[in-house]
Amino acid sequence: MADELDLLRRANPAPADAPPFADGPLDPHGERHLHRLLHGPTPSPGRPARPRPARRGVRLAWGLAAGAVVAVTAVALLLGGPGTPPAVAAPRPLVVRADATPVPLDRLAERAEAAAADGGPALRRGTHVQSWSLGMSDDAPPITLPEERIVRWTADGRHTELVVATDPRHPGRPVLGEDEDGNPRQVEDGHVITDATYPPSWSDAPPASRPPHEAGRLRAYLEEAQRTPSLDTSRLLDAAALLLDNWTLGARESAALARLLADTGGLRPAGEVTDRLGRPGQAYVYETTGVRRMLIMDPATGAVLGLETTFTEAQPEYGVTAGDVMEYSAWTR
């Protein structure tokens, strides 16, 4: 019975990027685990790409889904036994320069629009993202899973996905990664988690369909992608992350997103910051109950570089203290 319950927990019927309490089908991760529960081994190649684990921590921290608890075993938390430090330490929150003058988001949007008018990179389907996500349970300390994910599409509608366990802050060191069942374990830096090619897909629904490069139309596109009639600041940040997990934005699309963020309001300019890949950026902060979300944007082009979520309140039941990083994503071309 314990094994079946564990599989049901990992099936997780709440899609990684769906709005709270929305009805809908299982996400690919849930489908695979449910298939294992009902029919035996997970289907091999051709199965849908699994989502990144970061969103699980977000749902758990915000208490949105009772069954969405991350199953973490105590053995996987340690390198060799009691008293040994975790395989990878949680990243510290990014520090905004106290002496830097913040750039208003509306002004940054103007810079992005000017950069787009001068040309710049084109939109490309696929993504290159590095992420650090906190996995939590109610009976073991939290752990941080660092991953790098590259998705590329071909003209005939096929795409490849490569996911490796790596932490660029500590090159060459062992890290925590996930096995095929979603269980964390110690792996070597660069351990391949997923390396797959998928058959053609021609979905015309966001976020699979091509995003527009005009702010008003982009808002409608993201509302459809998030299955919501309106985007407040929090949902817009979720939608932006979803977009960037599927597309590498061009100059025009980055400008449209910057304008949309500026027009929506709610993001406070905080100042200059260096992101986790060493890039200079402007930080914009949004705070809600228990968490702080910080968007990092390129100061010249307005492109989104990263998004960090940290706890502002302790959650002792999960071993989380105020200031812990819940998740971080850094997007590159």
Side-chain angles (χ1 to χ4, degrees), residues 23 30 39 48 86 95 102 128 145-146 159 186 207 241 255 278 294 312 320 328 330:
D23 294 328
H39 307 294
V95 177
H128 183 180
L145 299 169
H159 73 279
Q186 180 190 355
M294 184 163 68
T312 57
V320 171
Y328 183 89

Side-chain angles (χ1 to χ4, degrees), residues 91-255:
R92 294 182 177 181
L94 293 178
V95 177
V96 178
R97 282 184 50 191
D99 60 342
T101 302
V103 176
L105 190 48
D106 187 67
R107 186 181 304 167
L108 190 66
E110 292 174 356
R111 292 181 184 176
E113 290 161 352
D118 291 337
L123 176 71
R124 184 175 69 214
R125 192 172 188 184
T127 189
H128 183 180
V129 58
Q130 294 187 228
S131 63
W132 293 258
S133 58
L134 197 65
M136 298 179 294
S137 74
D138 56 5
D139 59 359
I143 59 171
T144 297
L145 299 169
E147 289 185 359
E148 181 169 6
R149 176 172 171 257
I150 301 174
V151 178
R152 294 288 180 257
W153 288 76
T154 59
D156 65 358
R158 301 174 188 272
H159 73 279
T160 60
E161 181 187 44
L162 175 65
V163 182
V164 298
T166 185
D167 187 346
R169 300 172 307 149
H170 309 295
R173 294 189 193 176
V175 297
L176 287 181
E178 283 192 328
D179 62 22
E180 63 181 8
D181 294 323
N183 297 316
R185 63 186 179 91
Q186 180 190 355
V187 298
E188 294 300 318
D189 178 51
H191 169 77
V192 175
I193 298 172
T194 301
D195 186 2
T197 300
Y198 300 96
S201 174
W202 303 103
S203 173
D204 60 355
S209 59
R210 186 182 183 89
H213 52 261
E214 189 274 328
R217 292 172 54 218
L218 182 60
R219 177 182 291 277
Y221 173 98
L222 294 178
E223 288 172 349
E224 184 177 351
Q226 288 293 92
R227 304 177 196 172
T228 180
S230 63
L231 291 173
D232 57 16
T233 305
S234 181
R235 289 179 177 176
L236 179 54
L237 291 174
D238 290 339
L242 176 63
L243 176 63
L244 293 164
D245 279 342
N246 285 272
W247 293 86
T248 301
L249 301 188
R252 295 189 300 173
E253 292 76 21
S254 288

Side-chain angles (χ1 to χ4, degrees), residues 42-114:
T42 305
S44 55
R47 68 192 183 197
R50 66 178 178 82
R52 295 183 297 117
R55 301 283 185 251
R56 293 185 230 164
V58 176
R59 288 199 305 277
L60 183 60
W62 291 342
L64 298 182
V69 178
V70 179
V72 178
T73 61
V75 148
L77 303 177
L78 303 175
L79 289 176
T84 310
V88 60
R92 294 182 177 181
L94 293 178
V95 177
V96 178
R97 282 184 50 191
D99 60 342
T101 302
V103 176
L105 190 48
D106 187 67
R107 186 181 304 167
L108 190 66
E110 292 174 356
R111 292 181 184 176
E113 290 161 352

